[in-house]
Amino acid sequence: MESVTSSAAMAALPETFQEARDDIAGQIGLIWDQVKAPVIVPLLRLTAFLCLVMSVMLFVEKVYMAIVIVGIKLSGRRPDRRYKWEPLREDLELGNSAFPMVLVQIPMFNEKEVYKLSIGAACGLSWPSDRIIIQVLDDSTDPIIKDLVVMECERWASKGINIRYEIRDNRNGYKAGALKEGMKHSYVKNCDFVAIFDADFQPEADFLSRTVPFLVHNPQLGLVQARWKFSNSNECLMTRMQEMSLDYHFTVEQEVGSSMYSFFGFNGTAGVWRISALNEAGGWKDRTTVEDMDLAVRASLKGWKFVYLSDLKVKNELPSTFKAYRYQQHRWSCGPANLFRKMLMEIIRNKKVSPFKKVHVIYNFFFVRKIVAHIVTFVFYCVVIPATVLVPEVEIPKWGSVYIPSIITLLNAVGTPRSLHLIVFWILFENVMSLHRTKATFVGLLETSKVNEWIVTEKLGDALKTKAITKASKKPKIRIGDRLHVLELGVGAFLFFCGFYDLGFGRNHYFIYLFLQGFAFFAVGFGYVGIFVPHS
């Protein structure tokens, strides 16, 4: 009797589970049907409409800049044709005093791997030794690294280089605070111009002789900016992706801003400022994480013009790890959004610049490039389009889901012709990064607690080569928590769910894109992107 009862119970148990499962699925389906029509569909339609509007805005901006660039190339509108430029030479009567006094600032923080490179490059600049001051602004907290930097400065000083090692007792304001403090020293009063190089930047010897004459012969110019050249762009796939994004910025955005408006965002390094322009703008401020852009906007509102030299390249290093790149992108996305919030009314009320330039700064420079571009990339391509698979009542027109994104992508990719074959990987990686950029943009706009979070981007310098020899047998210890990225894994799971749903029940045929993008999010989420492997 007991065995019969037991058998009956065992037979009934799976059936009970089946009924419970069907009941739960039915309840979820019922709730979805009740919420879908009155809430989900209208909300998704509104979001899709806004994303399409933003896509058109971004498309128009990209096409406009492409047309301008073509016009610049065809007309030969080079900086030395738009502004007066003559090489500076030693005068028979004045001697070296014919050359202006130049201050070279190198801000650094625990830069063990690259401090020798930047100091050596700065000390190797071709300029009269009595007309240049090298200022090393060391905020390092590691006493061993500080001692190494001091020894390097003393080594160059023994060779007759006018080099000053400056420290402060706090890190208030981070880089902006260090640069501001550096300008307070008495010897700076004798300087006319200041060149700034981050710790991983290595200018060529002729850098000053090619930039300073623009400032000397054109009193309306406040800034001369050089282009970045990446020494480790071939290190891994992630650095190739970074190169593609940054090359567009330097090839197109900076060139258009310089040629059409004499304004662009200072890149924080590889540039020379007229000190009087810097001071008139109010000097360095640490109210955002983009102190360089802040200074550029304020100087522009005072009427100063900027020039960009695309043919003058300064070697530097790209982040080789995803963690370092993510922190950098957070700073570069959060800072502009927060600066836009802080300066919008100041720009509108300004009376020194033309309405044409105001529109460019507010709409093109800030709103479209620094806010719209980040939001539409993530929200539209990683949320809205996948969601339409689950909500077929909402349709995205082909021009919005295919044609406009394709044209925008191609216009972005032409800046790096050698990497055109990597364009699919670049699209997928940029969409993953748009998650962090969008989050950072809202942090800046809403000014949350992390708005001024500043983490110095790690540089590896020559260690890339030496570590391959000295530590080839040692595998780096990486904690699981450092490898797993929950946000990316969550978005990847959502994309895979939408992909399988589209494959089984959908009609949009988005599943190929959804699976590829889902794999990209999972690859990053599980920590398989940006893991540097040194070359032997």
Side-chain angles (χ1 to χ4, degrees), residues 40-52:
I40 302 297
V41 173
L43 184 61
L44 189 58
R45 277 183 179 150
L46 175 62
T47 308
F49 172 76
L50 293 176
C51 286
L52 286 171

Side-chain angles (χ1 to χ4, degrees), residues 76-137:
R77 191 176 164 82
R78 298 198 309 267
D80 56 351
R81 291 186 177 182
R82 291 185 289 118
Y83 297 100
K84 184 180 178 182
W85 188 92
E86 293 178 3
L88 299 178
R89 294 185 176 89
E90 185 176 341
D91 190 276
L92 292 176
E93 295 182 0
L94 299 175
N96 286 342
S97 59
F99 289 80
M101 196 74 179
V102 177
L103 174 70
V104 178
Q105 290 185 314
I106 309 174
M108 56 177 58
F109 173 74
N110 292 338
E111 308 288 358
K112 182 181 179 181
E113 310 296 352
V114 295
Y115 73 95
K116 282 188 176 182
L117 300 176
S118 57
I119 293 175
C123 292
L125 290 168
S126 298
W127 204 254
S129 59
D130 59 336
R131 308 300 293 171
I132 185 172
I133 302 173
I134 311 296
Q135 187 184 65
V136 177
L137 303 169

Side-chain angles (χ1 to χ4, degrees), residues 27-39:
Q27 289 181 1
I28 293 174
L30 183 63
I31 294 172
W32 172 253
D33 290 336
Q34 290 177 340
V35 173
K36 183 179 176 183
V39 179

Side-chain angles (χ1 to χ4, degrees), residues 103 105-107 135 137 139 168 172-185 194-198 266 268 278 284 291-292 295:
L103 174 70
Q105 290 185 314
I106 309 174
Q135 187 184 65
L137 303 169
D139 273 359
R168 51 190 184 137
N172 294 342
Y174 303 107
K175 178 181 172 182
L179 293 170
K180 184 177 182 179
E181 193 69 24
M183 297 299 293
K184 294 179 180 179
H185 295 281
V194 54
I196 302 166
F197 300 104
D198 282 353
F266 174 46
L278 192 154
W284 294 101
E291 71 294 324
D292 42 14
L295 175 60

Side-chain angles (χ1 to χ4, degrees), residues 93-335:
E93 295 182 0
L94 299 175
N96 286 342
S97 59
F99 289 80
M101 196 74 179
V102 177
L103 174 70
V104 178
Q105 290 185 314
I106 309 174
M108 56 177 58
F109 173 74
N110 292 338
E111 308 288 358
K112 182 181 179 181
E113 310 296 352
V114 295
Y115 73 95
K116 282 188 176 182
L117 300 176
S118 57
I119 293 175
C123 292
L125 290 168
S126 298
W127 204 254
S129 59
D130 59 336
R131 308 300 293 171
I132 185 172
I133 302 173
I134 311 296
Q135 187 184 65
V136 177
L137 303 169
D138 190 10
D139 273 359
S140 298
T141 53
D142 187 327
I144 297 176
I145 297 176
K146 291 179 79 169
D147 290 341
L148 291 172
V149 176
V150 169
M151 290 172 59
E152 185 67 10
C153 291
E154 291 176 347
R155 187 172 74 85
W156 283 103
S158 66
K159 296 181 179 181
I161 300 296
N162 188 359
I163 185 168
R164 308 294 181 94
Y165 176 79
E166 306 290 357
I167 59 173
R168 51 190 184 137
D169 56 6
N170 60 71
R171 287 195 67 217
N172 294 342
Y174 303 107
K175 178 181 172 182
L179 293 170
K180 184 177 182 179
E181 193 69 24
M183 297 299 293
K184 294 179 180 179
H185 295 281
S186 57
Y187 55 82
V188 175
K189 295 177 182 178
N190 300 320
C191 298
D192 304 293
F193 309 112
V194 54
I196 302 166
F197 300 104
D198 282 353
D200 59 315
F201 277 70
Q202 304 162 57
E204 297 293 335
D206 63 349
F207 180 87
L208 294 179
S209 61
R210 295 177 65 181
T211 54
V212 173
F214 279 102
L215 297 167
V216 170
H217 299 305
N218 302 277
Q220 74 274 31
L221 285 178
L223 166 68
V224 179
Q225 173 73 60
R227 182 174 173 171
W228 296 3
K229 177 183 178 182
F230 311 111
S231 60
N232 64 332
S233 59
N234 292 323
E235 215 61 67
C236 60
L237 185 59
M238 191 187 75
T239 54
R240 290 289 291 271
M241 303 298 101
Q242 293 178 62
E243 181 190 39
M244 291 179 73
S245 300
L246 288 170
D247 273 353
Y248 178 82
H249 170 69
F250 287 108
T251 305
V252 179
E253 291 179 346
Q254 296 288 80
E255 191 77 75
V256 170
S258 176
S259 300
M260 295 296 293
Y261 311 97
S262 296
F263 168 78
F264 47 82
F266 174 46
N267 295 317
T269 178
V272 186
W273 276 95
R274 187 186 301 275
I275 291 181
S276 59
L278 192 154
N279 291 335
E280 186 183 349
W284 294 101
K285 293 185 178 181
D286 59 2
R287 56 182 176 172
T288 70
T289 56
V290 283
E291 71 294 324
D292 42 14
M293 186 182 294
D294 187 352
L295 175 60
V297 174
R298 285 184 282 112
S300 179
L301 295 179
K302 293 293 183 180
W304 291 99
K305 295 182 178 181
F306 308 155
V307 64
Y308 170 67
L309 307 181
S310 60
D311 60 342
L312 178 58
K313 300 177 181 180
V314 180
K315 188 165 66 171
N316 69 102
E317 182 183 316
L318 292 164
S320 294
T321 64
F322 179 73
K323 183 178 181 181
Y325 184 54
R326 188 180 63 188
Y327 283 133
Q328 182 199 68
Q329 291 303 297
H330 174 87
R331 191 169 74 245
W332 286 6
S333 302
C334 175

